[in-house]
Short mmCIF file of all heavy atoms in Angstrom, two decimals:
data_model
loop_
_atom_site.label_atom_id
_atom_site.label_comp_id
_atom_site.label_asym_id
_atom_site.label_seq_id
_atom_site.Cartn_x
_atom_site.Cartn_y
_atom_site.Cartn_z
N ALA A 16 2.15 4.93 1.11
CA ALA A 16 2.15 5.68 2.36
C ALA A 16 1.13 6.81 2.24
O ALA A 16 0.92 7.34 1.15
CB ALA A 16 3.54 6.25 2.63
N SER A 18 1.29 9.87 2.89
CA SER A 18 1.87 11.10 2.33
C SER A 18 2.19 10.98 0.84
O SER A 18 2.47 11.99 0.19
CB SER A 18 3.14 11.46 3.10
OG SER A 18 4.09 10.42 2.99
N ARG A 27 -2.92 16.27 -5.29
CA ARG A 27 -3.12 15.59 -4.01
C ARG A 27 -4.40 14.76 -4.02
O ARG A 27 -5.41 15.16 -4.57
CB ARG A 27 -3.19 16.65 -2.91
CG ARG A 27 -3.25 16.10 -1.53
CD ARG A 27 -3.06 17.24 -0.51
NE ARG A 27 -3.49 16.80 0.77
CZ ARG A 27 -4.62 17.16 1.36
NH1 ARG A 27 -5.43 17.99 0.78
NH2 ARG A 27 -4.94 16.70 2.55
N LEU A 32 -9.44 3.80 -2.25
CA LEU A 32 -10.07 2.56 -1.83
C LEU A 32 -9.72 1.49 -2.85
O LEU A 32 -9.68 1.78 -4.06
CB LEU A 32 -11.59 2.73 -1.75
CG LEU A 32 -12.13 3.53 -0.56
CD1 LEU A 32 -11.79 4.99 -0.68
CD2 LEU A 32 -13.61 3.34 -0.45
N SER A 37 -5.62 -8.79 1.03
CA SER A 37 -4.98 -10.06 1.30
C SER A 37 -4.53 -10.09 2.75
O SER A 37 -4.32 -9.04 3.37
CB SER A 37 -3.77 -10.25 0.39
OG SER A 37 -3.05 -11.41 0.75
N GLY A 46 -6.09 -4.61 -7.16
CA GLY A 46 -7.33 -4.57 -7.94
C GLY A 46 -7.72 -3.15 -8.32
O GLY A 46 -6.89 -2.25 -8.37
N ALA A 47 -8.99 -2.97 -8.58
CA ALA A 47 -9.51 -1.66 -8.98
C ALA A 47 -9.30 -0.64 -7.86
O ALA A 47 -9.31 -0.98 -6.69
CB ALA A 47 -10.99 -1.77 -9.32
N VAL A 48 -9.11 0.63 -8.25
CA VAL A 48 -8.86 1.71 -7.29
C VAL A 48 -9.91 2.79 -7.46
O VAL A 48 -10.22 3.20 -8.58
CB VAL A 48 -7.46 2.32 -7.51
CG1 VAL A 48 -7.21 3.47 -6.56
CG2 VAL A 48 -6.38 1.27 -7.38
N PRO A 53 -9.67 15.66 -2.61
CA PRO A 53 -9.98 16.51 -1.45
C PRO A 53 -11.32 17.21 -1.62
O PRO A 53 -11.70 17.60 -2.73
CB PRO A 53 -8.84 17.54 -1.46
CG PRO A 53 -7.75 16.92 -2.26
CD PRO A 53 -8.42 16.03 -3.26
N ASP A 56 -17.75 15.04 -1.49
CA ASP A 56 -18.94 14.76 -0.69
C ASP A 56 -19.84 13.88 -1.54
O ASP A 56 -20.57 14.38 -2.39
CB ASP A 56 -19.64 16.06 -0.30
CG ASP A 56 -20.81 15.82 0.63
OD1 ASP A 56 -20.98 14.69 1.12
OD2 ASP A 56 -21.56 16.78 0.87
N VAL A 57 -19.74 12.58 -1.35
CA VAL A 57 -20.42 11.62 -2.21
C VAL A 57 -21.38 10.79 -1.37
O VAL A 57 -20.94 9.90 -0.64
CB VAL A 57 -19.40 10.71 -2.93
CG1 VAL A 57 -20.10 9.77 -3.88
CG2 VAL A 57 -18.36 11.54 -3.66
N MET A 60 -22.08 5.48 -3.32
CA MET A 60 -20.89 4.91 -3.93
C MET A 60 -21.08 4.84 -5.44
O MET A 60 -22.19 4.57 -5.90
CB MET A 60 -20.61 3.51 -3.39
CG MET A 60 -20.16 3.49 -1.95
SD MET A 60 -18.58 4.27 -1.67
CE MET A 60 -17.46 3.04 -2.27
N SER A 62 -21.11 3.34 -9.19
CA SER A 62 -21.58 2.04 -9.69
C SER A 62 -20.49 0.98 -9.58
O SER A 62 -19.35 1.20 -9.96
CB SER A 62 -22.01 2.19 -11.15
OG SER A 62 -22.45 0.96 -11.65
N GLY A 63 -20.85 -0.15 -9.01
CA GLY A 63 -19.92 -1.26 -8.88
C GLY A 63 -19.07 -1.25 -7.62
O GLY A 63 -18.30 -2.17 -7.39
N ALA A 65 -20.38 -0.53 -4.31
CA ALA A 65 -21.12 -0.82 -3.07
C ALA A 65 -20.66 -2.15 -2.50
O ALA A 65 -20.63 -3.16 -3.19
CB ALA A 65 -22.62 -0.85 -3.36
N ALA A 68 -15.16 -2.27 -1.55
CA ALA A 68 -13.86 -1.83 -1.02
C ALA A 68 -13.40 -2.74 0.10
O ALA A 68 -14.14 -3.02 1.03
CB ALA A 68 -13.96 -0.39 -0.53
N SER A 70 -9.82 -2.58 1.19
CA SER A 70 -8.72 -1.92 1.88
C SER A 70 -8.69 -0.47 1.44
O SER A 70 -9.24 -0.11 0.40
CB SER A 70 -7.38 -2.62 1.61
OG SER A 70 -7.13 -2.75 0.23
N LEU A 71 -8.06 0.38 2.25
CA LEU A 71 -8.02 1.79 1.91
C LEU A 71 -6.80 2.44 2.54
O LEU A 71 -6.23 1.94 3.50
CB LEU A 71 -9.30 2.51 2.37
CG LEU A 71 -9.63 2.51 3.86
CD1 LEU A 71 -9.03 3.71 4.56
CD2 LEU A 71 -11.13 2.51 4.03
N VAL A 73 -5.80 6.52 3.62
CA VAL A 73 -6.25 7.91 3.74
C VAL A 73 -5.02 8.79 3.84
O VAL A 73 -4.10 8.51 4.62
CB VAL A 73 -7.15 8.11 4.98
CG1 VAL A 73 -7.58 9.56 5.11
CG2 VAL A 73 -8.37 7.20 4.89
N THR A 80 -15.03 9.71 5.98
CA THR A 80 -16.17 9.22 6.75
C THR A 80 -17.03 8.38 5.83
O THR A 80 -17.37 8.79 4.73
CB THR A 80 -17.00 10.40 7.31
OG1 THR A 80 -16.14 11.22 8.11
CG2 THR A 80 -18.15 9.89 8.16
N ALA A 85 -26.68 3.71 2.12
CA ALA A 85 -26.64 4.74 1.08
C ALA A 85 -27.31 6.02 1.56
O ALA A 85 -28.16 6.00 2.45
CB ALA A 85 -27.32 4.24 -0.18
N GLY A 89 -27.47 5.43 8.41
CA GLY A 89 -26.91 4.30 9.16
C GLY A 89 -25.76 4.74 10.04
O GLY A 89 -25.55 5.93 10.29
N SER A 95 -8.59 8.05 9.15
CA SER A 95 -7.59 9.08 8.88
C SER A 95 -6.23 8.40 8.73
O SER A 95 -6.09 7.19 8.96
CB SER A 95 -7.57 10.11 10.01
OG SER A 95 -7.23 9.51 11.22
#
Side-chain angles (χ1 to χ4, degrees):
S18 60
R27 186 170 164 255
L32 285 70
S37 173
V48 178
D56 185 9
V57 183
M60 291 295 283
S62 179
S70 54
L71 61 91
V73 178
T80 303
S95 61

